[in-house]
Amino acid sequence: SLSVSGVRSAALMSAADVAVLRGNADSMALRLGCHDNAVHRRLAPESAAARAVFDAVKQARVESIGS
C-alpha cells in the first residue's frame, strides 16, 4: 500500500477507517477549540476518582458541542 510517513492514503482506507479517522480528528479539533488547560487544571479535583469523573464530564461537554 502507498503511504506517506506511515499514514495510508485515504483512497486505500475502508469507509469504516475513514469514519473513525474523521471522528478522531473532529474530537481533537473540538477539544482544541473548546478546552482551556489552565482553567481545567485550576478546577480539577485532587482525588483520582473525582478527577476521572471531572475529566469524563469535560470530554462529554466538549463532544456535545460538536453534535
Side-chain angles (χ1 to χ4, degrees):
S1 75
L2 299 174
S3 67
V4 176
S5 301
V7 177
R8 292 191 305 163
S9 166
L12 302 175
M13 296 174 72
S14 71
D17 288 341
V18 171
V20 169
L21 178 63
R22 176 157 184 205
N24 287 333
D26 288 349
S27 178
M28 291 170 64
L30 284 168
R31 185 175 172 121
L32 287 170
C34 302
H35 177 72
D36 185 325
N37 281 329
V39 171
H40 184 79
R41 279 192 307 273
R42 183 170 46 85
L43 297 176
E46 292 182 24
S47 157
R51 178 97 186 223
V53 172
F54 183 80
D55 290 343
V57 169
K58 181 258 320 165
Q59 185 64 29
R61 182 191 68 83
V62 169
E63 289 176 2
S64 72
I65 292 168
S67 60

